[in-house]
């Protein structure tokens, strides 16, 4: 499956900046949720408190939703479900994005020990983002005032 990441010319309005633990719990991630002028929702990881490299491209929610809903409902999933989004990119990228969508409730921890993850509520996430859009939330100014928000701890190697 090929996906289109947003091009540098695409303007994404940021509605939410949040933090979550990585799936391993060894570091903290900062991620953003935003949308373009057509109200298409995107998510990206922007910072890692640890040393792991990652891809910080905006990923369309529609792509994430397709991958999550294509996974068999009766089988637990892992961050590997997001591998098609990050072909030839840092191996941390799928797991870091998966941690962000876990924090947002798009996936949830399975009920049995070592049972992986299950599909969460995509609809609830979409409603929360719609409310932010309706309230005209705009965190772009916060990033402009504090440019360190999107910097990684270490310089990213070219991918």
């Amino acid at each position: 499956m090929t996906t289109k990441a947003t091009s540098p010319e695409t303007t994404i309005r940021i509605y939410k900046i949040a933090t979550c633990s990585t799936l391993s719990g060894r570091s903290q991630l900062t991620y953003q949720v935003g949308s373009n002028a057509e109200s298409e929702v995107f998510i990206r990881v922007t910072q890692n408190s640890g040393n792991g490299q990652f891809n910080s491209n905006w990923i369309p929610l529609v792509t994430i939703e397709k991958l999550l809903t294509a996974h068999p409902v009766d089988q637990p999933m892992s961050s590997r479900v997001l591998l098609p989004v990050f072909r030839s990119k840092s191996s941390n990228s799928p797991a870091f994005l998966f941690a962000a969508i876990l924090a947002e409730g798009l996936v949830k921890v399975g009920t049995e020990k070592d049972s992986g993850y299950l599909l969460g509520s995509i609809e609830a996430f979409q409603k929360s983002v719609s409310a932010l859009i309706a309230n005209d939330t705009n965190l772009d100014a916060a990033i402009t005032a504090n440019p360190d928000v999107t910097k990684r701890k270490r310089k990213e190697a070219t991918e």
Side-chain angles (χ1 to χ4, degrees), residues 7-72:
S7 66
E9 301 85 37
T10 304
T11 301
I12 303 291
R13 185 174 192 165
I14 299 169
Y15 296 107
K16 183 174 186 178
I17 301 171
T19 60
C20 65
S21 292
T22 57
L23 297 176
S24 69
R26 287 182 259 187
S27 62
Q28 287 289 111
L29 302 171
T30 300
Y31 64 94
Q32 298 173 347
V33 178
S35 74
N36 62 11
E38 292 80 32
S39 298
E40 296 171 306
V41 177
F42 294 83
I43 303 172
R44 72 174 174 176
V45 175
T46 58
Q47 192 172 20
N48 174 20
S49 67
N51 293 326
Q53 300 295 309
F54 60 94
N55 182 284
S56 63
N57 288 348
W58 287 104
I59 307 301
L61 177 61
V62 67
T63 301
I64 296 168
E65 184 177 358
K66 281 181 188 174
L67 292 170
L68 295 178
T69 57
H71 189 80

Side-chain angles (χ1 to χ4, degrees), residues 3 6 17 21 23 30 36 45 50 53 63 66 69-70 78 81 91 94-95 101 104 106 108 119 121 141 152:
T3 65
T6 61
I17 301 171
S21 292
L23 297 176
T30 300
N36 62 11
V45 175
Q53 300 295 309
T63 301
K66 281 181 188 174
T69 57
S78 70
V81 75
S91 61
I101 66 171
E104 290 297 324
L106 294 163
K108 59 186 178 181
L119 185 62
S121 179
R152 288 174 197 77

